[in-house]
Amino acid sequence: MAILGAIHPVLTAGLSDREDGWRLAEYEARGGYAALRRILSERIPAEKIIAEIKSSGLRGRGGAGFPTGLKWSFMPRGMDGDKYIICNTDEGEPGTFKDRDLLCHNPHAVIEGMLIGAYAVGANRGYNYIHGEIFALYRRFEDALAEARAAGLLGRNILGTDFSFELFAHHGYGAYICGEETALLESIEGKKGQPRFKPPFPASFGLYGKPTTINNTETFASIPFILNMGGEAYLKLGSPNNGGTKLFSVSGHVERPGNYEVPLGTPFAALLELCGGVRGGRRLKAVIPGGSSSPVLPAEIIMDCALDYDSISKAGSMLGSGAVIVMDETVCMVKALARLSFFYHEESCGQCAPCREGTGWLFDVLARIEAGDGRMEDVETLARVAGNIGGRTICALGDAAAMPVQSFLTHFREEFLYHIAHKTCLVPREVQWAGSGFHCADAGQQRAGRQG
Amino acid sequence: MLEIEIDGRKTSVREGSTVMDAAQQMNVYIPHFCYHKKLSVAANCRMCLVEVEKAPKPIPACATPVTNGMRVFTHSPLALAAQKSVLEFLLINHPLDCPVCDQGGECLLQDIAVGYGEDSGRCREKKREVAPKEAGALISMREMSRCIHCSRCVRFGQEIAGVMELGMTGRGRHAEITTFLGQSVDSELSGNMIDLCPVGALTSKPFRYTARCWELARRQTISPHDSAGANLVAQVKDGKVLRMLPRENEAVNECWITDKDRFSYPALSSPERLARPMLKQGGVWREALWSEALDYVAHGLKSITAEAGGDAAAALAAPHSTTEELFLLKKIFSRLGSRNVDCRLRQQDFSLDGQRAGASWLGMTLSELRHVDSALIAGSFLRKDHPLMAQRLRHAVQKHGAQISVLSVAADDLRIPLFARETVAPSRLVFALAAVLKAVLEEKAIAPQDQEGLAAVTVSGAARKMAESLLKGENAVILLGQAAEQSADFGVMHRLSARLAEASGARLGFLGAAANSVGAELLGFGGEANTDSRQMLVTPRRAYVLFGVEPELDAYDPRLALRALRSANMVALFTSFRHEAAMEYADALLPLAPFTETSGTLINAEGRIQRFSGVAPPLGDARPGWKILSALGSLLGFADCNFEDSAAVWRAAGIVSRGDAPEFAAGLDNGLRAAPVVLRKRASEERGLERVADVPIYFTDPIARRSAPLRQTADAAPPAARMAGATLARLGLQAEDAVRVRQGDGELAGEANLRAVLDARVPEGCVLISAGHAASASLGGMFDPVFVERA
């Protein structure tokens, strides 16, 4: 069971370790598809559903935190022709691994959420775009779709009503950029995954040029639960304007890394405690609270933060996708940033100039500093280049690449200066090795042997 | 209309305009690379970032729609900082090899770097290196490290040329523009990508390293290579044309030209050029003085016509000759008492000569092609014969869903999504057209009155679809192409099309055979008073004047032409090139200045009168055609044939302009004198197969034929015997077999050894063997029966 702990669980409530806990029968036993059945039998108007979602304060779980009900209300109603609803399971942000557990253990919650979404926005077709590196879960989702189709929950005249909806699984090939919603659309259309310039937004010109709504997997999975418990109740689970619970993927230097479901507004300290605290009782150094693209926060700031969109934002970072990357005192921040910059440099789609050229430039400079060839003006260069990328690109990947650089430099500038001046890390290599877990005395010798 | 303020100045723009549109309307310059007015918006270079009031971030002008009351600042600190930072990014991986770069001096990146760049770079990292690509004979992709990934070339392929031949692979810094694996760039419009490339990544292979752009004089001229009459800029150094570029004319060629327009020029300075008059005496060729050569021709014409009457002399002229040249030629011949002048060498059916109400033309302006909503194109290799018109029709389909239907003799890929298509053997083309007419008449419940034979025509599903589309179209057109003009049933097809146009409310147009076909017709060529080219060859004349033509390549039936020329007493060839084949049958070669070395007027398919001057001095002793003919006229004693300059010739030619639009000629009319349509059943074609012939794009005229770079393109592959699989099987042949192809019998028998090629585009029972090429010049008529057997 990959959900390691929870406080007031909603999405993961009742999930068991059993091999077939994901199956339709089990989901229905947990109360699944009740919301859909009620909507269809009572012919609840779409406006009412959207109002309910709005009142729940549900905000997109993919990273941007856009209010879901508001997004659904953008879809043009009373327009003929195809409309699409798309689930974004292209979970590529370093540190994020919640959606794959949802697909693994509760795929029918996603299907039901998409069905309700389709009903609410008037879509007749849906796709779940699944990250290429979790292919086994693409299969799992296909199996779940087959179950739903066999049970008359998908296809024409669902549950004997005039509501019809086709849902397909579609797997990508692991490009980070395809998690950007318009690149995802391009990818489904069979083209190279490159973001589109917006406007027009997908709600007016989406997949194949048709109105399209795109939401994150966790967002969809939350929908049935919200409608079952009522928007108000869901909102109350969390903090004001930050309704409900959220899955947090905690990775890095904690005793028990994994997925945790806690209400929004839970203090970071409580989550850390749920994970068993910092590994080996070491001192917390910094936390990236919302996936690799959100700004890093040093220990003293994050320890005072509550985990919701507004508090984290006030502290100078973003809740993002809820990927909490915990770093203890053995981490060299230069090395950490160099690794992050490598990721963005590799994953930039290459379409627009600032990101294509800038991410490479950032990585080159950081790799040079890390290798001991840094120059004093490099710190300025990094800040300037990151500033020149941010806000000037077609999609948010440019900002995602820039923000870590800017925040690392803000909070850990002296480590960079030390690294340049001394051509080595402020955190001694033995300390880093000790902290990594892979370089215990034994492993260190092995590594030395390999290099020799 | 929307109000917008840019840099403090107000204007109003149309709904849907972008900030860039508004800025251009106001003459405000916003730097850009990826934006191009003819291409879709990509917004990927980010150079056009500007500040907009209330927007927190700078936004790209090219992609941002104007909203009412918008206030834009193109040079505010925020905008300038954004623009400068983007330029810095673009330069960090751009090799600063301007001194050895072909684009140097005409490079957008260079220009903008002067305006927005720092005096030295701040990036100390290694620059990216990109492996060179091979893209064929015309475009060089050696220095792809210079590419700034603006994707103009990619979008051009997708949107204008209709064929994606370049694409971007790889991500991030590894992104590269490249061809598809192992493929070259073969589009007939590919050269435009060189113009579009804002840097020196795509450069012209023939032009590379021959000159710097600032050494070249820019002189305006008009393309003689197809019926569109593209406007050109010839770039000249030391009297030699070193490059051809498009001259923007929205009404004619927009900002595009075909590769034929662009890359034919190397022929103009090739060693094959004829620099001196030559005479054959006693079977031996020798160079001669102009006076000798003209004396010889004048004497020959005079004595032969004196002896055997005017009908013994005939003139065959190239339909891309200038109006002035054609006028003088016709005048001299009429003074000699001869009606034998024609420039329609590829035509075989002249039954409508004297029946036409005016000169055959496009039926609309070129720019109107963009706005048609339904078009029926009959008998045309549209994409290769008329690339610029095909481009406009492609636009009509892409932008407002026009329905294009095609009736053709080979299912060539137009790179246009077609509404309906029917591919038939040439002998069936007229019936396929009749079927559309019948469907229209049925649809409108009009009883076919005098359309003899229409009852027997069966209406196919495709014909019905085409008919419905024509009827539904508010701006519909029927366009006849060269294969229709060259068909044995051209007259009937013209009549059927005229009926069809009348019944469906569509317009009728002719795509046009060559650059001055309309001009020739306005001068009276092909009128009642003149003999047609076929008669001149079927009944050999004693003297021939060949003006810019190479009959064994340019005539409908080369064997017929050669027989006539070989039996003549005198053949005088006005030519720009030493034409080896002519050395056998000609007696005099007169060096004719090509279009770059003469002045004159061409009248294109839409009837546009386009006058041009020479851009380079004539090579050697070559002289402009009007001058030679003027001198010849004087020698013959015709005082009214002597002119001081080409403008005087033009005035004498008496072409009338349209009163309301003087840039167009008057007298254009595709109507016919009333007469019944007679659909005749063709004699059984059991004797062998039917030949289908196109004239490959780079073999249409003597200049294009001799261009070394064009000869290396895929379109210049030598002709083969192309057949459908069923035809091959019926003959017991396999693809790539060597075959002997025969046409005609008796003294007109001709044969060629070719390669059999499997080509599913060719209708069954037909063999496509291209004309206009030496390898097929030994064969007979373009659409005549043909026998194919294993060699």
Side-chain angles (χ1 to χ4, degrees):
Chain A
M1 182 67 194
I3 310 290
L4 294 183
I7 301 169
H8 303 306
V10 172
L11 286 172
T12 61
L15 286 185
S16 66
D17 269 334
R18 278 216 311 286
E19 177 57 30
D20 52 2
W22 61 274
R23 290 200 173 271
L24 177 62
E26 298 271 334
Y27 179 63
E28 289 193 306
R30 294 195 298 268
Y33 288 109
L36 179 73
R37 286 176 198 279
R38 200 179 75 247
I39 288 168
L40 292 183
S41 64
E42 295 176 16
R43 296 180 174 278
I44 299 176
E47 295 75 17
K48 218 175 142 196
I49 299 172
I50 294 179
E52 193 75 46
I53 301 297
K54 279 185 180 164
S55 73
S56 75
L58 176 66
R59 291 170 65 164
R61 302 299 196 222
F66 193 82
T68 306
L70 190 59
K71 190 187 252 185
W72 286 9
S73 65
F74 291 153
M75 282 288 272
R77 300 205 63 85
M79 205 178 100
D80 287 341
D82 286 335
K83 275 184 247 175
Y84 294 95
I85 189 155
I86 289 170
C87 176
N88 184 349
T89 315
D90 193 64
E91 191 176 40
E93 179 96 345
T96 315
F97 43 86
K98 63 189 178 63
D99 295 340
R100 67 173 199 196
D101 270 359
L102 272 176
L103 280 198
C104 182
H105 299 294
N106 218 359
H108 282 287
V110 180
I111 296 174
E112 189 183 359
M114 290 190 74
L115 271 158
I116 295 169
Y119 179 89
V121 303
N124 56 342
R125 269 163 190 279
Y127 289 92
N128 186 4
Y129 189 98
I130 299 168
H131 198 60
E133 287 162 1
I134 50 171
F135 193 71
L137 297 174
Y138 163 76
R139 292 237 171 92
R140 165 69 52 93
F141 192 73
E142 284 278 28
D143 292 343
L145 283 178
E147 281 189 321
R149 285 191 195 112
L153 292 161
L154 282 175
R156 299 194 63 78
N157 301 98
I158 292 166
L159 297 172
T161 65
D162 59 357
F163 173 56
S164 300
F165 177 64
E166 296 287 353
L167 179 55
F168 306 97
H170 184 104
H171 78 82
Y173 284 86
Y176 175 62
I177 192 62
C178 290
E180 199 278 345
E181 58 181 18
T182 53
L184 183 153
L185 297 179
E186 293 279 300
S187 176
I188 293 183
E189 289 180 7
K191 303 176 197 157
K192 187 180 178 191
Q194 282 188 340
R196 298 175 184 169
F197 181 77
K198 287 152 290 212
F201 290 96
S204 52
F205 189 93
L207 187 63
Y208 302 114
K210 304 289 181 190
T212 303
T213 289
I214 304 157
N215 288 110
N216 173 253
T217 319
E218 190 188 346
T219 314
F220 277 124
S222 309
I223 301 292
F225 300 100
I226 294 171
L227 293 176
N228 283 334
M229 71 170 69
E232 291 293 325
Y234 185 79
L235 177 63
K236 281 196 192 116
L237 275 176
S239 54
N241 197 29
N242 294 272
T245 62
K246 164 110 192 66
L247 286 175
F248 286 91
S249 308
V250 185
S251 62
H253 300 154
V254 293
E255 285 292 344
R256 295 193 304 137
N259 281 321
Y260 294 85
E261 184 179 4
V262 299
L264 284 171
T266 304
F268 172 76
L271 179 66
L272 190 60
E273 203 184 316
L274 208 57
C275 306
V278 179
R279 192 170 53 182
R282 291 200 179 86
R283 206 162 51 84
L284 181 67
K285 183 172 187 178
V287 171
I288 299 177
S292 61
S293 56
S294 60
V296 68
L297 294 175
E300 56 278 16
I301 295 180
I302 189 76
M303 285 307 280
D304 291 336
C305 271
L307 291 169
D308 64 42
Y309 295 99
D310 300 332
S311 315
I312 299 274
S313 166
K314 207 182 290 170
S317 185
M318 302 187 315
L319 188 69
S321 57
V324 180
I325 302 171
V326 178
M327 294 180 265
D328 71 12
E329 58 194 334
T330 66
V331 173
C332 166
M333 297 314 266
V334 178
K335 196 172 190 170
L337 182 59
R339 183 62 189 81
L340 284 178
S341 291
F342 175 72
F343 175 81
Y344 290 105
H345 154 59
E346 275 297 300
E347 295 293 343
S348 164
C349 82
Q351 183 180 197
C352 66
C355 174
R356 176 184 65 238
E357 309 294 348
T359 52
W361 193 355
L362 289 176
F363 170 66
D364 285 349
V365 173
L366 283 162
R368 203 159 38 70
I369 298 175
E370 172 63 17
D373 294 326
R375 292 185 283 263
M376 271 306 162
E377 70 266 23
D378 284 343
V379 176
E380 268 333 296
T381 303
L382 286 173
R384 188 167 45 78
V385 173
N388 284 344
I389 301 174
R392 287 169 190 175
T393 51
I394 290 178
C395 76
L397 195 145
D399 300 303
M403 281 187 293
V405 175
Q406 290 162 322
S407 63
F408 272 69
L409 289 179
T410 308
H411 297 297
F412 301 97
R413 191 182 191 86
E414 69 287 355
E415 273 199 46
F416 288 84
L417 294 176
Y418 182 95
H419 212 126
I420 292 168
H422 297 85
K423 304 191 183 301
T424 184
C425 300
L426 179 62
V427 180
R429 202 126 303 199
E430 315 80 70
V431 176
Q432 289 183 41
W433 286 357
S436 73
F438 296 105
H439 292 92
C440 49
D442 203 32
Q445 279 164 8
Q446 278 177 13
R447 185 184 148 99
R450 255 207 321 276
Q451 280 175 346
Chain B
M1 297 299 271
L2 301 168
E3 287 281 319
I4 180 171
E5 183 190 307
I6 300 182
D7 297 339
R9 282 162 53 206
K10 281 198 173 106
T11 192
S12 54
V13 293
R14 272 205 328 238
E15 204 102 7
S17 303
T18 62
V19 174
M20 184 69 90
D21 296 334
Q24 297 211 324
Q25 186 181 316
M26 294 170 72
N27 261 331
V28 172
Y29 178 71
I30 301 177
H32 58 266
F33 295 104
C34 71
Y35 167 81
H36 190 275
K37 61 186 170 182
K38 291 284 179 188
L39 301 176
S40 65
V41 170
N44 62 28
C45 74
R46 316 308 282 177
M47 193 62 215
C48 68
L49 290 172
V50 293
E51 182 178 355
V52 171
E53 191 182 47
K54 295 197 189 95
K57 301 188 285 190
I59 56 154
C62 68
T64 305
V66 174
T67 54
N68 204 19
M70 191 181 236
R71 292 182 71 204
V72 177
F73 307 93
T74 66
H75 284 80
S76 66
L78 181 78
L80 268 179
Q83 291 159 1
K84 286 185 168 180
S85 74
V86 169
L87 187 75
E88 181 178 26
F89 283 132
L90 288 172
L91 287 174
I92 65 172
N93 277 310
H94 186 84
L96 300 180
D97 60 349
C98 307
V100 295
C101 175
D102 241 28
Q103 192 87 353
E106 51 183 5
C107 173
L108 204 50
L109 186 60
Q110 225 177 14
D111 292 350
I112 294 181
V114 170
Y116 296 83
E118 301 294 328
D119 46 10
S120 68
R122 290 184 290 196
C123 181
R124 299 270 174 275
E125 317 308 320
K126 261 183 82 172
K127 288 193 188 239
R128 169 184 54 217
E129 282 169 47
V130 182
K133 313 286 185 294
E134 185 51 51
L138 305 180
I139 299 181
S140 166
M141 295 176 76
R142 296 282 324 159
E143 295 92 3
M144 290 311 288
S145 301
R146 295 175 185 154
C147 174
I148 57 166
H149 307 88
C150 70
S151 80
R152 277 183 181 185
C153 55
V154 179
R155 283 176 283 146
F156 174 84
Q158 291 170 323
E159 295 161 22
I160 308 293
V163 45
M164 188 170 172
E165 293 181 304
L166 294 178
M168 206 193 300
T169 62
R171 283 198 310 242
R173 217 164 26 169
H174 311 299
E176 291 182 13
I177 297 289
T178 182
T179 56
F180 286 91
L181 278 181
Q183 293 192 8
S184 51
V185 173
D186 299 324
S187 154
E188 64 284 354
L189 294 169
S190 68
N192 293 301
M193 293 195 273
I194 301 166
D195 296 342
L196 285 174
C197 185
V199 294
L202 306 183
T203 51
S204 161
K205 250 188 195 172
F207 175 68
R208 268 162 78 82
Y209 304 136
T210 54
R212 303 303 318 218
C213 67
W214 55 84
E215 303 172 317
L216 300 168
R218 296 171 63 89
R219 295 181 183 141
Q220 307 188 348
T221 185
I222 302 292
S223 162
H225 297 295
D226 65 30
S227 64
N231 292 198
L232 303 175
V233 168
Q235 294 202 303
V236 185
K237 182 186 171 188
D238 301 335
K240 202 168 142 185
V241 177
L242 290 183
R243 182 158 70 164
M244 280 289 181
L245 296 174
R247 178 155 52 93
E248 197 172 332
N249 186 341
E250 194 57 28
V252 179
N253 51 310
E254 303 171 57
C255 51
W256 316 124
I257 53 172
T258 67
D259 286 1
K260 183 160 60 167
D261 297 334
R262 186 185 301 269
F263 293 115
S264 288
Y265 73 85
L268 300 172
S269 46
S270 78
E272 293 174 81
R273 273 296 295 275
L274 180 67
R276 310 260 174 268
M278 293 182 78
L279 290 174
K280 185 156 75 179
Q281 278 173 343
V284 181
W285 283 97
R286 64 167 181 86
E287 288 193 349
L289 297 172
W290 265 113
S291 51
E292 286 178 274
L294 282 176
D295 266 342
Y296 175 84
V297 176
H299 177 76
L301 286 173
K302 213 184 249 172
S303 58
I304 287 171
T305 49
E307 199 176 302
D311 196 43
L316 295 167
H320 55 261
S321 310
T322 64
T323 312
E324 290 78 355
E325 290 163 344
L326 293 174
F327 166 73
L328 278 172
L329 189 63
K330 184 161 177 279
K331 191 165 180 70
I332 290 173
F333 268 70
S334 77
R335 294 297 309 268
L336 284 169
S338 172
R339 294 147 45 99
N340 301 331
V341 285
D342 202 357
C343 57
R344 300 165 300 166
L345 268 71
R346 290 201 181 281
Q347 209 165 308
Q348 53 165 326
D349 175 21
F350 301 92
S351 56
L352 293 187
D353 280 10
Q355 311 262 317
R356 284 181 287 269
S360 306
W361 68 302
L362 190 60
M364 53 171 60
T365 61
L366 281 167
S367 51
E368 277 178 295
L369 279 176
R370 244 171 207 284
H371 306 295
V372 301
D373 53 6
S374 171
L376 171 63
I377 295 150
S380 176
F381 293 89
L382 179 74
R383 179 178 160 208
K384 297 292 177 180
D385 285 352
H386 307 282
L388 293 172
M389 300 192 201
Q391 180 271 123
R392 282 189 153 101
L393 289 171
R394 191 173 293 129
H395 177 96
V397 176
Q398 283 175 354
K399 289 289 145 73
H400 41 87
Q403 297 176 338
I404 310 289
S405 308
V406 171
L407 277 181
S408 59
V409 292
D412 52 333
D413 185 359
L414 300 188
R415 307 307 306 189
I416 299 175
L418 295 182
F419 177 70
R421 143 161 258 168
E422 194 155 22
T423 307
V424 294
S427 62
R428 304 294 310 165
L429 192 60
V430 65
F431 295 99
L433 191 61
V436 183
L437 173 61
K438 191 173 173 184
V440 165
L441 294 177
E442 283 173 8
E443 194 76 26
K444 297 200 76 179
I446 302 174
Q449 295 153 4
D450 49 52
Q451 284 85 3
E452 187 184 318
L454 214 54
V457 171
T458 44
V459 178
S460 64
R464 201 164 296 283
K465 237 180 127 181
M466 294 174 190
E468 279 163 15
S469 170
L470 283 179
L471 283 170
K472 212 170 64 197
E474 306 220 320
N475 196 355
V477 65
I478 301 152
L479 294 168
L480 294 184
Q482 258 102 294
E485 289 190 15
Q486 291 154 8
S487 139
D489 304 304
F490 176 48
V492 187
M493 273 197 265
H494 187 168
R495 275 209 188 284
L496 282 173
S497 310
R499 282 280 158 81
L500 183 56
E502 194 186 345
S504 65
R507 282 190 268 186
L508 171 61
F510 291 85
L511 292 165
N516 204 22
S517 295
V518 172
E521 223 178 316
L522 287 169
L523 288 171
F525 279 63
E528 227 164 347
N530 286 105
T531 319
D532 63 64
S533 66
R534 196 170 174 83
Q535 284 183 45
M536 289 181 223
L537 296 174
V538 169
T539 316
R541 307 306 206 247
R542 288 181 58 187
Y544 285 98
V545 169
L546 304 175
F547 195 88
V549 291
E550 296 168 344
E552 67 289 341
L553 301 175
D554 286 326
Y556 174 78
D557 187 341
R559 306 295 307 173
L560 197 60
L562 284 176
R563 183 186 64 171
L565 294 171
R566 280 175 185 147
S567 67
N569 298 44
M570 186 194 80
V571 175
L573 177 63
F574 289 67
T575 177
S576 304
F577 299 96
R578 267 181 79 97
H579 181 42
E580 290 304 329
M583 305 301 253
E584 176 219 332
Y585 56 72
D587 309 291
L589 295 185
L590 307 172
L592 175 67
F595 74 106
T596 46
E597 299 166 12
T598 185
S599 58
T601 313
L602 295 174
I603 303 179
N604 73 0
E606 57 172 352
R608 185 180 295 273
I609 300 166
Q610 301 198 96
R611 236 187 117 57
F612 59 91
S613 303
V615 298
L619 181 101
D621 281 349
R623 289 294 173 265
W626 69 268
K627 259 189 194 167
I628 308 173
L629 290 168
S630 198
L632 181 64
S634 309
L635 273 178
L636 286 164
F638 309 144
D640 55 349
C641 289
N642 193 5
F643 291 93
E644 282 296 306
D645 55 27
S646 69
V649 186
W650 169 254
R651 282 192 297 275
I655 301 279
V656 184
S657 289
R658 237 170 69 187
D660 56 333
E663 66 271 34
F664 292 105
L668 309 174
D669 196 333
N670 291 332
L672 293 172
R673 278 185 214 150
V677 177
V678 181
L679 266 183
R680 62 195 163 86
K681 265 262 183 300
R682 194 79 80 76
S684 160
E685 296 289 352
E686 290 301 299
R687 325 176 292 122
L689 303 164
E690 261 187 76
R691 179 175 169 193
V692 176
D694 62 337
V695 185
I697 179 166
Y698 303 137
F699 293 101
T700 52
D701 60 78
I703 303 177
R705 271 175 210 140
R706 286 175 177 80
S707 158
L710 290 179
R711 269 196 302 231
Q712 293 162 35
T713 59
D715 276 320
R722 299 179 167 272
M723 284 169 271
T727 318
L728 278 175
R730 185 143 63 92
L731 297 172
L733 292 172
Q734 288 190 324
E736 303 307 317
D737 278 353
V739 290
R740 184 175 303 117
V741 179
R742 290 185 290 115
Q743 273 189 294
D745 24 52
E747 57 167 343
L748 285 178
E751 65 172 51
N753 288 315
L754 299 171
R755 201 163 47 91
V757 170
L758 172 67
D759 192 335
R761 300 170 307 165
V762 183
E764 217 189 304
C766 297
V767 194
L768 191 151
I769 304 165
S770 301
H773 192 282
S776 59
S778 52
L779 290 172
M782 290 169 71
F783 294 93
D784 289 352
V786 58
F787 294 88
V788 178
E789 61 200 15
R790 194 184 299 273

